[in-house]
Amino acid sequence: MPKFTQLPCYILCGPEIGKRNSFIKDIRKRCADADGAQPEYHTFYADDTSVEELINLLQNGSLFSSRRIVEYRNAELVTGKNDIAVLAGYAASPSPEALLFLITESYSLAKPLETAVGSAGKVVFWELRDYEKPTWVRERLAQYRLSIDDEALTALFELVENETSALDSACIMLAAYFPAGTRLGIDEIESTLSKSRQEDAFSLFDRISGGDMTAALNVLDTLLADRQSDATQIIAALVWSFRKIERLHFLTGNGAVSGAGQGADAGPCLDLETAFRQEKITTKTGQRKFRAALRQFSADECSRAVRAAAATEGALRGGLGASFERPLLHLLICSIMSGNCSSPALSGWKEEEYYRFN
Amino acid sequence: MKFTCDKTSLLREISFAQEIIASKNALSIMSNVYLEATDSRLLIRATDVKVGFETSIPVSDVVPGAMTVFCDKLTGILSSLPEGDIGIEQDQGRAVLRPASKKARFQLKTLSGEKYPELPRAEEQSYFEMPAKEFRRMVVQTLFSVSTDETRYFMNGVFMEKSPEGSLIMVSTDGRRLAFIKNESAGSLPDFKPVIIPTKVLGIINKRLSDEGMLGIAITEKNIFFRFNAYQISSVLIEGQFPNYQKVIPQNQKTKFSAKKEDMMEALKRVSIFVEQKSNRTFFSLSVGSLILSSEETEIGAAREEIACDYEGEDTTFALNYRYIEEPLRVLDSETITVEFSEPSRAITLRPEPASDYFHIVMPMQID
């Protein structure tokens, strides 16, 4: 084993995946340089790979490599007392040929793990602050000899997650689409990034407001199959979107916001462009989507959709639990899209009519 | 389409087909077995896209035709019937099964045979033969060491190559242990590019191939074909670069000990009661004439057993994953085994005694 001073165990915390990946990449490179060969690399998830399997791999020598590097993601899911003790035991007496990254997007792990790894081995990767983001993107684009308008930058932040690996991918994509020297405007950003956007809870809302129930249910199933989204996040995004339409209706004088009570003002009767600006819906794609949604749902329907979503969330958190996550969300979407409780899926559903729209 | 045949013969082949079929979805043609009656034979095909199976059995009262039926249910029906003949007839999109010995009638929905995937074929002249017993022995020595880690797909099969001297070599590894066998009695082999054979097809061959007779093998760019008895089995090969195994075969292991295989297996079985649930780490402590196998201390307890061995070196201890020792021990075909090593952190080699054409290499675990 070549001599190489490196901590044998790290806790890498925080939501900033890009910076974390750079950190890991740098250590991998230093290991490869020191060893004169690529280390054996493994990525495991705590919900898939048990602590025993992990330790087994870390402690067992490799035939083909002098060093093993293991990423153990979602390490916050290691909650059992025995598992924590075993992992902490390893961290206190690690294999000299192995390097372990305990990775979590939260900010800490179980105390015994943090103690065993020590403060020197804990690194937190914070999100970019709002004032840091424009500089970061501009510098990244400048590497490809691209520049960007302020308005286009706002659109980019609207379309891309606030996380450097996502922003980096967006910059790479823009560099692939546009020749060096291009100044990117809002049209370039929208035409490139809105098409490549992955399905998320907001694209589910787009399908709902587009009126295509099959597509909406397909997107829902995709989201549920993807570990990045859970039912609560999906509901939160739908509620956010329906509240946004409700506010747009209010601002344009077409309805009151929920909770305002009967006889509340119809709103300031702004024109739609001004209402979009007020609600910070600046991209043409965003505006087009919300126009469709405004046509599809009245303020009253939005208010009922929000109530139905809240009731669904209640059911999910209550006795029905995660076992009924998919059917309950399907029912919610069917209810929202079919309007006045006309969906046969709802007839006979007992949960105190929380889906009823009238 | 119509035919009559012996139920036992049909069940044997349909059960074989069911082993190949991976899908249990009754609506998918991939869950079906292909049946084609021609003259006096019934052609049976099954595939999971990667592995293909084809055989034929004699049948009578034939009306030629082809259909596919849900293999799982067909197996279930045939298994439930007593010995005797069974008549199968295709009628309006259904296969009607009538056992001769019972007043019973079963209907199974069919899908058109035309939609069934074509199986790959090898040219007749590309087949070569070797004794079935020898091939099977090679599979037995290597199959268990294959990696199950799908991210290391190139280790998910057994590597097979022809050595420069013309022997057939098989190697498998999961990165922690390695199994090697070099067969010099395979006969005259044609030249072929080294291949990585998936475990599924080797598992099937290992189960179904008898030690009698010869096995026909053909290798093409993407597939490997096996032919024995009335069976033709094909499999896609794993594409990728198998690790350079020669580099990790220890050359100068000067220290060794020998022990009775049975003693070691029994001791390992008892000691493993305490290592099973943790990291599988088992300690092997050697002193002159003695090997102590022990587990880690746990809250529950610990195990320790001493067996006699032929060792004359210095006291030494190494740690091994007990599974990596137990699995080779099961297939080592000698009463006594030899373990060769150089130092506790380097690979050890297990061989039968006297040495044969195969060995197993295991990397040790961290001691503390």
Side-chain angles (χ1 to χ4, degrees), chain A residues 38-99:
Chain A
Q38 286 298 326
E40 188 179 292
Y41 203 83
H42 298 266
T43 303
F44 298 121
Y45 290 83
D47 39 351
D48 282 341
T49 304
S50 69
V51 168
E52 278 81 13
E53 287 173 82
L54 172 73
I55 300 298
N56 192 322
L57 187 125
L58 289 163
Q59 288 185 329
N60 208 129
S62 166
L63 276 167
F64 299 101
S65 180
S66 57
R67 193 190 301 271
R68 306 174 295 288
I69 300 183
V70 182
E71 272 187 46
Y72 197 53
R73 296 186 183 174
N74 299 350
E76 74 280 2
L77 298 178
V78 179
T79 51
K81 196 179 160 192
N82 191 42
D83 283 345
I84 291 171
V86 169
L87 204 47
Y90 174 80
S93 176
S95 165
E97 299 169 352
L99 176 52

Side-chain angles (χ1 to χ4, degrees), chain B residues 13 29 38 45-46 76-77 92 125 146-147 152 162 165 198 203 205 255 259 271 275 279-280 301 320 329-330 344 357:
Chain B
E13 308 311 345
I29 199 162
T38 47
R45 275 188 202 145
I77 294 167
Q92 294 182 337
Q125 63 268 26
V146 169
S147 170
R152 284 165 167 67
K162 184 184 168 187
E165 318 86 66
I205 299 285
T255 320
V271 171
V275 296
S279 64
N280 290 342
L320 295 163
L329 282 178
R330 278 198 213 144
D357 55 0

Side-chain angles (χ1 to χ4, degrees), chain B residues 111-151:
Chain B
L111 290 172
S112 165
E114 288 169 11
K115 292 178 184 164
Y116 206 72
E118 280 290 320
L119 300 186
R121 305 270 164 205
E123 288 175 13
E124 186 58 35
Q125 63 268 26
S126 57
Y127 276 92
F128 62 92
E129 292 203 319
M130 70 177 285
K133 184 180 178 180
E134 291 301 315
F135 188 83
R136 197 161 164 268
R137 195 170 70 88
M138 295 180 82
V139 172
V140 166
Q141 288 297 334
T142 50
L143 193 56
F144 63 88
S145 288
V146 169
S147 170
T148 53
D149 179 354
E150 287 176 9
T151 62

Side-chain angles (χ1 to χ4, degrees), chain A residues 119-185:
Chain A
S119 56
K122 180 172 174 177
V123 188
V124 182
F125 298 95
W126 303 97
E127 278 177 337
L128 286 182
R129 300 218 166 88
D130 280 347
Y131 68 84
E132 293 174 312
K133 288 197 289 180
T135 314
W136 194 95
V137 171
R138 285 207 156 95
E139 282 176 0
R140 194 78 184 89
L141 287 173
Q143 290 174 9
Y144 302 111
R145 295 181 53 220
L146 295 173
S147 56
I148 187 166
D149 290 344
D150 287 348
E151 198 184 22
L153 200 56
T154 311
L156 186 145
F157 293 139
E158 223 173 81
L159 291 166
V160 181
E161 204 182 333
N162 176 22
E163 193 276 301
T164 53
S165 69
L167 292 170
D168 192 35
S169 300
C171 292
I172 291 169
M173 195 177 296
L174 290 165
Y177 273 89
F178 301 103
T182 307
R183 181 152 186 91
L184 302 168

Side-chain angles (χ1 to χ4, degrees), chain A residues 179-198:
Chain A
T182 307
R183 181 152 186 91
L184 302 168
I186 195 158
D187 289 342
E188 284 79 15
I189 296 298
E190 286 202 349
S191 64
T192 313
L193 299 181
S194 58
K195 282 180 199 153
S196 62
R197 190 178 178 184
Q198 285 186 330

Side-chain angles (χ1 to χ4, degrees), chain A residues 5-325:
Chain A
T5 48
Q6 182 65 62
L7 289 178
C9 194
Y10 284 93
I11 291 175
L12 306 184
C13 302
E16 216 332 298
I17 301 168
K19 289 182 195 169
R20 185 182 78 207
N21 288 346
S22 300
F23 179 86
I24 293 172
K25 193 175 160 189
D26 178 54
I27 288 189
R28 277 179 80 165
K29 186 177 178 304
R30 284 161 56 198
C31 289
D33 291 347
D35 299 350
Q38 286 298 326
E40 188 179 292
Y41 203 83
H42 298 266
T43 303
F44 298 121
Y45 290 83
D47 39 351
D48 282 341
T49 304
S50 69
V51 168
E52 278 81 13
E53 287 173 82
L54 172 73
I55 300 298
N56 192 322
L57 187 125
L58 289 163
Q59 288 185 329
N60 208 129
S62 166
L63 276 167
F64 299 101
S65 180
S66 57
R67 193 190 301 271
R68 306 174 295 288
I69 300 183
V70 182
E71 272 187 46
Y72 197 53
R73 296 186 183 174
N74 299 350
E76 74 280 2
L77 298 178
V78 179
T79 51
K81 196 179 160 192
N82 191 42
D83 283 345
I84 291 171
V86 169
L87 204 47
Y90 174 80
S93 176
S95 165
E97 299 169 352
L99 176 52
L100 172 64
F101 293 116
L102 295 169
I103 292 173
T104 176
E105 286 181 27
S106 63
Y107 293 96
S108 63
L109 290 180
K111 192 87 194 295
L113 289 177
E114 301 232 348
T115 308
V117 171
S119 56
K122 180 172 174 177
V123 188
V124 182
F125 298 95
W126 303 97
E127 278 177 337
L128 286 182
R129 300 218 166 88
D130 280 347
Y131 68 84
E132 293 174 312
K133 288 197 289 180
T135 314
W136 194 95
V137 171
R138 285 207 156 95
E139 282 176 0
R140 194 78 184 89
L141 287 173
Q143 290 174 9
Y144 302 111
R145 295 181 53 220
L146 295 173
S147 56
I148 187 166
D149 290 344
D150 287 348
E151 198 184 22
L153 200 56
T154 311
L156 186 145
F157 293 139
E158 223 173 81
L159 291 166
V160 181
E161 204 182 333
N162 176 22
E163 193 276 301
T164 53
S165 69
L167 292 170
D168 192 35
S169 300
C171 292
I172 291 169
M173 195 177 296
L174 290 165
Y177 273 89
F178 301 103
T182 307
R183 181 152 186 91
L184 302 168
I186 195 158
D187 289 342
E188 284 79 15
I189 296 298
E190 286 202 349
S191 64
T192 313
L193 299 181
S194 58
K195 282 180 199 153
S196 62
R197 190 178 178 184
Q198 285 186 330
E199 298 293 5
D200 60 18
F202 295 101
S203 58
L204 169 62
F205 173 75
D206 297 341
R207 299 294 193 290
I208 292 172
S209 59
D212 184 347
M213 192 181 291
T214 308
L217 295 177
N218 283 340
V219 171
L220 174 64
D221 285 341
T222 307
L223 295 178
L224 290 175
D226 175 5
R227 294 172 185 206
Q228 301 282 333
S229 308
D230 65 24
T232 320
Q233 288 169 327
I234 293 168
I235 288 174
L238 291 180
V239 167
W240 182 90
S241 302
F242 277 108
R243 289 226 163 101
K244 204 85 168 164
I245 315 170
E246 206 182 356
R247 277 199 55 77
L248 287 169
H249 276 304
F250 170 73
L251 290 170
T252 52
N254 290 319
V257 287
S258 50
Q262 287 203 343
D265 287 343
C269 296
L270 302 175
D271 64 72
L272 193 53
E273 298 300 323
T274 314
F276 278 147
R277 272 201 300 280
Q278 194 156 326
E279 286 300 301
K280 295 191 170 59
I281 302 166
T282 54
T283 65
K284 285 178 189 168
T285 312
Q287 290 176 359
R288 194 176 59 245
K289 284 174 183 172
F290 274 100
R291 273 200 186 91
L294 283 163
R295 282 194 297 273
Q296 185 79 6
F297 299 105
S298 67
D300 191 36
E301 282 170 333
C302 291
S303 156
R304 283 180 286 164
V306 169
R307 283 204 301 276
T312 304
E313 190 176 357
L316 284 166
R317 289 179 191 275
L320 294 172
S323 325
F324 292 97
E325 186 176 86

